Amino acid sequence: MSPLRPSLNWLRAFEAAARLGSFAAAAAALNVTPSAVSQHIRALELRLGKPLFERHANGVRLTDRGRRYAEDLGQAFDMIDEATSRFAGRNARDLLVVHVPTSFASQWIAPRLDLFRARHPDIDLRLTALDQGEDKVDATIAFGAGQWPKCEATRLLADEAFPVCSPAYAEALAVPEDLRGRDLLHVPGYAEEWDTWLAHAGVRGVDTSSGSFFDQSIMAIRAAVEGKGVLLGRAALVERELASGLLVEPFRARLPAAGSYWLLVSQRKAKLPKVTAFRDWLIDVTTTTA
């Protein structure tokens, strides 16, 4: 064996973390602890002699080299899965590849993976936040207004946006006007922004041009949990933190989100049994959650 060849466990941990966008989500998918994922990735970086992630206080981000390496590994693992399926014949397990935003994968799907596996133990669900092209995925979960003419689109979840923060931070927030001078957490690119919510709540005089900005919701959620400010969160992405008490909703003014979460499937793959099984499961779970 080549002395450079890394452990398969290291590679699996890195590929899952890169695909899902966080060590915690990778740990849930691999049924190990986040600490184990972190140790595997650190060992891999030491073996390669180059960093794969940029580590920040509120999350991790792939380096350019790390992203290319993750894409190559994803293709390699796909080839292994396909080879195994061909060898096993008709009784082989199905692999379902779903392209999904990092935060939704980590915050909404990962906590429910056991429910899907219990219903469909013969289907291996592979979640990826990397854009691998339409031919590489079986389905996509996207947020928007439902305008995807080339796909069969199934509406899964409507959403709401509202301020959330840690319980300690909320002690100084009795009414929305108390946001003046407070640290606001932002996720640029979301249609629901602080100016929109403040107008909805009838509040003026809050400076929304400053604060901390995050590329991904999961990073901003972590900052809010750590008491770094107030986040305009989406219900689907902060439900666990609200249920556990890590975050609270200081005000009772929710803004209907500009879009919904949708399952998108090409017409070519819409009738595949594994795809219909996933779609039916999502419909059942979202109906129960709503």
Side-chain angles (χ1 to χ4, degrees), residues 245-280:
L246 290 174
L247 291 177
V248 296
E249 184 180 355
F251 319 117
R252 296 295 176 183
R254 294 194 172 194
L255 174 69
S260 302
Y261 288 97
W262 295 75
L263 178 69
L264 311 178
V265 184
S266 67
Q267 294 181 352
R268 181 169 61 88
K269 295 188 176 183
K271 303 302 181 184
L272 292 176
K274 62 182 179 181
V275 173
T276 59
F278 184 61
R279 180 173 55 218
D280 292 345

Side-chain angles (χ1 to χ4, degrees), residues 2-284:
S2 167
L4 185 62
R5 184 176 301 171
S7 159
L8 184 59
N9 287 336
W10 301 352
L11 297 176
R12 279 289 188 191
F14 166 64
E15 190 276 336
R19 177 162 41 86
L20 297 175
S22 79
F23 290 2
L30 298 175
N31 197 28
V32 298
T33 65
S35 176
V37 170
S38 179
Q39 291 173 12
H40 286 330
I41 293 174
R42 178 63 72 184
L44 178 59
E45 290 176 321
L46 290 174
R47 174 64 62 85
L48 298 175
K50 296 180 177 66
L52 296 167
F53 287 97
E54 297 174 357
R55 290 162 173 82
H56 305 280
N58 301 307
V60 295
R61 181 185 305 168
L62 281 167
T63 64
D64 290 340
R65 285 177 177 267
R67 181 174 298 279
R68 291 194 294 269
Y69 191 38
E71 291 172 351
D72 290 342
L73 284 179
Q75 294 176 8
F77 283 130
D78 285 344
M79 292 176 64
I80 293 173
D81 292 333
E82 290 173 5
T84 303
S85 295
R86 287 194 298 269
F87 178 82
R90 292 185 177 180
N91 294 325
R93 300 168 61 83
D94 278 324
L95 174 66
L96 179 67
V97 182
V98 181
H99 182 213
V100 58
T102 297
S103 296
F104 192 77
S106 178
Q107 296 294 101
W108 198 92
I109 293 184
R112 294 172 168 85
L113 280 176
D114 56 333
L115 301 178
F116 180 76
R117 292 184 65 84
R119 182 182 292 192
H120 299 288
D122 57 331
I123 300 177
D124 289 331
L125 182 59
R126 178 185 176 90
L127 304 176
T128 177
L130 299 174
D131 187 1
Q132 302 182 40
E134 184 176 328
D135 292 338
K136 294 288 186 179
V137 301
D138 298 302
T140 296
I141 293 177
F143 186 87
Q147 298 176 349
W148 290 281
K150 296 183 179 180
C151 299
E152 291 193 11
T154 302
R155 187 170 180 264
L156 301 175
L157 282 174
D159 214 346
E160 297 174 306
F162 49 90
V164 294
C165 61
S166 69
Y169 204 96
E171 292 178 1
L173 303 175
V175 293
E177 286 75 10
D178 290 336
L179 289 171
R180 298 187 184 108
R182 295 294 171 180
D183 296 314
L184 302 184
L185 307 179
H186 306 263
V187 183
Y190 273 14
E192 305 81 35
E193 298 179 344
W194 272 112
D195 286 333
T196 309
W197 183 86
L198 291 166
H200 174 74
V203 179
R204 297 181 179 179
V206 177
D207 180 10
T208 61
S209 64
S210 63
S212 300
F213 295 78
F214 302 86
D215 288 345
Q216 298 178 357
S217 288
I218 191 170
M219 299 167 67
I221 291 169
R222 189 65 208 168
V225 168
E226 296 294 334
K228 306 306 180 185
V230 187
L231 169 68
L232 188 63
R234 284 182 179 165
L237 303 183
V238 298
E239 60 177 13
R240 287 193 305 161
E241 286 75 15
L242 289 174
S244 66
L246 290 174
L247 291 177
V248 296
E249 184 180 355
F251 319 117
R252 296 295 176 183
R254 294 194 172 194
L255 174 69
S260 302
Y261 288 97
W262 295 75
L263 178 69
L264 311 178
V265 184
S266 67
Q267 294 181 352
R268 181 169 61 88
K269 295 188 176 183
K271 303 302 181 184
L272 292 176
K274 62 182 179 181
V275 173
T276 59
F278 184 61
R279 180 173 55 218
D280 292 345
W281 174 76
L282 281 174
I283 292 172
D284 287 347

